[in-house]
Amino acid sequence: MALYILKRILLFIPTLLGITLITFILMQSLPGDPALGMAGERANPETIALIRAELGQDRPLPVQYFGYLKLLAGGELGRSYYTNRKVADDLLQKFPNTLKLALAAMFCASILGIGLGVFAASKRGTNWDRFITLLSVGGISIPVFWLGLALMLLFAFYLRWLPPSGMGNGNPLYLILPAATLGTFSLSYIVRVTRSSMLETLSQPYVAAARAKGLSEPKVVLKHALKNSLIPVVTLIGLDLGSYLNGAVLTETIFGWDGLGRYALDGILKRDYPVIMGVVLFGAMIFVTMNLLVDISYHFLDPRVRVKGKP
Amino acid sequence: MLNDLSLKDLTSNTPALIAVIMLALLLFTAVVGPFLMPYDPRVMDLDSLKQPPSTAHVFGTDSKGRDILSRVVYGARISLSVGLVASALSLCIGVFFGLIAGYFGGTVDAFFSQVFDVFLAFPSLLLAIGISAVMPAGLTSAMLAITLVGWAGFARLVRGITLTLREQPYVEASRSLGATPARILYKHILPNALPLILVAGSLRVGGFILLEAALSFLGLGVQPPTPTWGSMISLNRAYITSAPWMVIFPGLAISITVISFNILGDFLRDTLDPRMQV
């Protein structure tokens, strides 16, 4: 057990190095001096000196890369060209807002997705099933940013039920449209996976046995089949954080939600490279860390994985 | 496996049939459409700003008086070419490295798998943003960014398929006859992996088109005045209440295209390999 976790964490290190290598290469491909590119011309002389000492153009590239790692280890992601604030500080400040939005979206998508998936599977081959399947294909096909605008037009401007954008100082009404927009993609995947996993479980002999002993269909589905169908679904939900980070960039842009995504868009519009690279790096770090945690927690939760994972 | 696919499978599956017809129409639109349109998608007409849909302008006009239908039709060209080129390129790169990693195994496999994992460790849109932000924005940078984001997924898939195929008796036989790895990979493993590769490819085209739309929505793709579906939505966002048609039609175009690709991909997967997961 401890060995497995240790192995998993050791395997994590090359991934982290690889991620930083990619962002390093991207920084190097920027026109001009990479040290100035990271510090910004308006940064104070000490910051520029610090970053130049590590990324100076006179040093060989591998040495510059180690300097870059050293800067990252010290929490130095560079300064925004425009506000001259530390990108690392900004990221930490914006992240809770994105997290709040993502958790709300994830919660709704999971509940609704599992519900619809189970319903579709239990009505297999009927029009209900076809309709839900079609909806779920639609959900992964519609561009997030367009869905957001359409929902905003309908619920905020035509029906006037919900506020169109902003954060409303924590008023939950402001969370509904962005969370619905952000959750739709994941919801659709959850429906698909729940449905197919449920169909597989329903064909197992023990389900037939439960039916044969006269249990009602809802009882068979909810009490016996559901528990065993949920394993792939829970994995999917845990590993799907990447899609929320992708969606957050677009959703927050539409709804003026003050999180990482909008921060990234501001960076893109102003060509504020330290900001863009900071979000890219931070997003990847969160994504892989989450995957690691999901993996390890599986080891605790599912005894079957534990047996298989034994060397 | 590819021979199992017949026209009857397609005609008996209504959604798939509709999807194929839509895609054929779309391809026709992308190739021929721009020549048939009465308006130039880039020319502004200050006498007809923000016109709602009418017989003269079926989808209406935008804030600069440009005909939305002509722009949507022209945008099909950009979206389809970026989506298809990026899919083809990332498939080629992914298949190449996946075959190598899966066939040689050992250290080679460990190294390449680590590289695949690093690329897959980035949320796709964020990596695409990072890559296209350091390049001059345009068609090439969008294609390149999407290719670099997409190849690793194919590589990992092909690696897995190769791992199982290389243990097959016919590969063993070929090896004992003295065939080089290149020959075995090209003559024996690739043809047998092809159906799965094609299914994976068709399932990803839609995602790539969405990625292109997102990049141009964020201002990182093909630049104005050339119309793309994503940039039409972002440029006209401000008029969503006063002139919703400017935003609705390009979004419908993206959605219908991606839905058609996804339905086709699902159909191919179900027909060619029912075991393959979502």
Side-chain angles (χ1 to χ4, degrees), chain A residues 1 40 46 53 57-58 70 77 137-138 150 179 221 233 262 277 281 284-285 297:
Chain A
M1 186 76 180
E46 296 93 84
Q57 270 177 317
D58 48 336
K70 228 157 106 190
L77 290 173
V137 178
V221 171
V233 181
R262 220 184 72 173
M277 291 306 153
L281 185 66
M285 293 289 174
S297 56

Side-chain angles (χ1 to χ4, degrees), chain A residues 190-268:
Chain A
I190 295 173
V191 170
R192 285 157 74 102
V193 173
T194 310
R195 178 180 173 276
S196 64
S197 166
M198 193 76 190
L199 285 178
E200 207 179 311
T201 317
L202 285 176
S203 66
Q204 300 287 320
Y206 80 90
V207 174
R211 280 194 184 123
K213 74 179 182 186
L215 287 185
S216 67
E217 192 61 23
K219 218 170 187 174
V220 172
V221 171
L222 295 178
K223 226 180 146 202
H224 291 260
L226 182 60
K227 237 188 269 172
N228 279 301
S229 314
L230 281 184
I231 296 169
V233 181
V234 175
T235 319
L236 176 78
I237 294 172
L239 296 180
D240 209 24
L241 196 84
S243 83
Y244 287 97
L245 290 172
N246 287 330
V249 177
L250 303 164
T251 309
E252 291 177 2
T253 303
I254 299 285
F255 290 101
W257 192 266
D258 191 21
L260 286 183
R262 220 184 72 173
Y263 184 60
L265 182 80
D266 280 345
I268 294 168

